[in-house]
Amino acid sequence: MSIEKAEQAVAKLEIDKKYYPNFHIAPVAGWMNDPNGLIYFNGQYHVFFQHHPYDANWGPMHWGHLVSDDLISWRRLPIALAPDQEFDRSGCFSGSAVDNSGELCLIYTGHIHLSGEGPTEKIYQTQCLATSKDGIHFEKHGTILAPEEGIMHFRDPKVWQQDGRWWMVVGKRDLDDVGQVVLYSSEDLKKWQLEQVLVSDIDPDVYMLECPDFFPLGDKWILMFSPQGYKAKEYQYRNLFQSGYIVGEWQPGRPFTIIKPFQEMDFGHDFYAPQSFLAKDGRRLVFGWMDMWQSIMPSKADNWAGSLTIPRELILDADNNVRNRPIKELEALRSEQFSLSNLTLNSEVVKTDIDAVSCELKVEFDLTASDAERFGLELAVTKESKTLLYVDLQSNRIVLDRSLSGEGVRGYRSVPLPKTETLTLHIFLDSSSIEVFINEDLYSISSRIYPTPSTERKVNLFAENGTAKVVAVDSWQLKSIY
Amino acid sequence: MSIEKAEQAVAKLEIDKKYYPNFHIAPVAGWMNDPNGLIYFNGQYHVFFQHHPYDANWGPMHWGHLVSDDLISWRRLPIALAPDQEFDRSGCFSGSAVDNSGELCLIYTGHIHLSGEGPTEKIYQTQCLATSKDGIHFEKHGTILAPEEGIMHFRDPKVWQQDGRWWMVVGKRDLDDVGQVVLYSSEDLKKWQLEQVLVSDIDPDVYMLECPDFFPLGDKWILMFSPQGYKAKEYQYRNLFQSGYIVGEWQPGRPFTIIKPFQEMDFGHDFYAPQSFLAKDGRRLVFGWMDMWQSIMPSKADNWAGSLTIPRELILDADNNVRNRPIKELEALRSEQFSLSNLTLNSEVVKTDIDAVSCELKVEFDLTASDAERFGLELAVTKESKTLLYVDLQSNRIVLDRSLSGEGVRGYRSVPLPKTETLTLHIFLDSSSIEVFINEDLYSISSRIYPTPSTERKVNLFAENGTAKVVAVDSWQLKSIY
């Protein structure tokens, strides 16, 4: 399973682009999941991603690769890692990247199937190192950190440099099926010593913490990860797996003191495995995988599957919430603008001229002058499908409803309605996704949608059983990132 | 505006029956609102109703009239009251009936427009008496109770006999625009004396209490009425006007002691002005008007408007909630039965063979084995329309959603999901209505729906994003009450 063979395979996959994103990172063909190795290195931003280049289903993991000068215009590079060594023979699983004195180092999980798949599977996972001078071609150096005897799930290393040492967090399922994030440190990226277990047993049902990330934000330390096992509880933990964070205080040699327990980070159907990185100006940015395990992925029939979110900036607010908002660079994607203002809806649906195939929308409602039971937007409206985003004044929530979003995706996700006088819905609509940012960065909702193929996808405003006051609508067509 | 002229007018109205109910009381043509004069008298049940026989819009009020031996088979009688006297010249408004030693007495509101209509209108309302020996033809005796100087809104007398006296409750808007229910008593039904104000100023926004009713239930006294002015608050008070009750203790000569403040009685879109009466076996029954002021009433285009609910029995539970359930007599309307049992739904829609034009359904879910985000029923499904009734495990509510119910009706209504192991939805579907009784009588939801005309209206079961366990479905086609 060499890189050359993988490149040949992916080149042979012909894709149908009806759901293919215009301004989101997706595989040229085949399967994508987690973002990996995010880094600003040698004047360029690198995005790697979990990739199966042979078909649109998950399979032996490779690392796909793109670069950008500005975070909005992306160029595809050859596959960076293929599972071609004994220590990573079943897959090059997720990991991160660091700049080691001008050498681009990838620290990833070498995945080995010891026997079969399914309930009786035995796996072995170690952290491995690969390095590159040119940022394109990587040399593998094998396992740098192996788990204790009997541990099967031990993966997704995130590495950073601080106070003259290298630090690594790894997700681990311990022998009692308790999910943990474990911290290690190293002088040289090769020999690692255990520092401490940062968190363990955050919930009786949680058995694994995937994709940990640990970084300072404001005056706190954020432990971001993707827990597996939470049971749904009313509006919480509604997806198969979650992604979120714990806020605390930490410094090398000291325990991690938790200030705020686990919070979900995004409230849509499709957000997993976010990984952070530093922009060249020091902002903490993040990409997530905008899909969910075991979800309907109709684009598999088109020979591709998987998309990342738009890049987002992380902010710590005064109440120790980690908020995320679209990076300002995305404004450079804007082309034709359409605006309207001061519109009052009375139990009606009002059509707009906005084309919603690849667009950004900012819609501001005056909550003090709106009493409709439900009011908001019908998005990506085709003859047979539409996605609803609305304020519900009965439940006092903002709802993204996919009941009519196409291709069998269903279900709604929602967040509390903020007690502000105005409400701003900032929306990014691509061919098969919607990302909503509420009051700039109070909440985000990210979901995949599959509008029936149509040259036109419109945007309507509506108010049900009452009045809604729309202060302003601004929309922009968005250009391609390729 | 005599009865003869009214009968000729209504006979000339040709109606389209596409939305006409099969097992609900509705006007033969023209407009209906409140049920009036409900009584078991001389071996028959009488239902009168607010009626405008000249067209399908509200107008000068008459009293329509039907009788039944058994509460399920109804025969239309001539219009009972027309606004043909000085004291009721603008309308014979709502009221009640009593049996005075074999004479059927109607006590109703004589309504007079003193000047114009609309914001500058001046009205005058008095309580009037009409009597009948045969229960068909009524002799009017004029005003028996007039309001104090300056009071305009004073209506909807409900009269009963107790402890050798006649008692009457009347709704009143006092000079400060406060809604009240006032109690009077009389020796002879003609001369009335003020006893007390039973309730006043139940909410700062409520300005009128219409259609009061006051009766014993269990060991308590129930003051049932229809308040006007409540402002919507989350899930509460969502209709233009409400109907509900206060539970308390009372005996003649003593004040009314409130045990439970105002509670809504039904949680649908269309339930107003319920009036109670005693069945011959002593059960306390009720009919409501199954519409709402200022709602969409598409059947107006068909020359009729308005329907009563099915008759329901009132029960006081141990927590002093007044519950309502379909009367057992309705089972005699059942014809072909269709049943199925032990069905597990997995993120799917399952069609049934049930025809839902005029039917009763009992559907039992095992809540302990159901984890779907939403699960329940698609009802009255035609090609273009359907009405959704489902459990929502995110909001923990049972929802009746009219988003796709046809003819521009919109909005959802909901009640809390009970914390029981099984959930029973008992549903009565007629041509243009749905009534749902949850766990027999815990909550009722009554709404008008307008499925697109179709010979077939089907029933589907669904579960969204998860599993739902259907223990049993029983359905019966329902025969006509005429």
Side-chain angles (χ1 to χ4, degrees), chain B residues 90-120:
Chain B
S90 307
C92 299
F93 276 18
S94 286
S96 53
V98 291
D99 178 349
N100 185 13
S101 306
E103 196 168 54
L104 181 56
C105 300
L106 306 183
I107 303 95
Y108 68 99
T109 298
H111 175 72
I112 298 177
H113 276 295
L114 296 177
S115 71
E117 294 190 29
T120 63

Side-chain angles (χ1 to χ4, degrees), chain A residues 234-235 238 349 373-374 392-396 401 403 410-413 462 464-465, chain B residues 234-235 238 349 373-374 392-396 401 403 410-413 462 464-465:
Chain A
E234 298 184 349
Y235 297 110
R238 272 290 153 195
V349 179
E373 289 178 4
R374 292 191 274 208
D392 182 330
L393 286 185
Q394 296 195 69
S395 63
N396 270 329
D401 190 331
S403 292
R410 296 289 298 273
Y412 74 89
R413 293 292 178 266
F462 77 92
E464 181 177 286
N465 295 347
Chain B
E234 299 183 348
Y235 296 111
R238 273 290 152 194
V349 179
E373 289 178 4
R374 293 192 275 208
D392 182 331
L393 286 185
Q394 295 194 70
S395 64
N396 270 327
D401 190 332
S403 292
R410 298 288 298 272
Y412 75 88
R413 293 291 178 267
F462 77 92
E464 181 178 285
N465 295 347

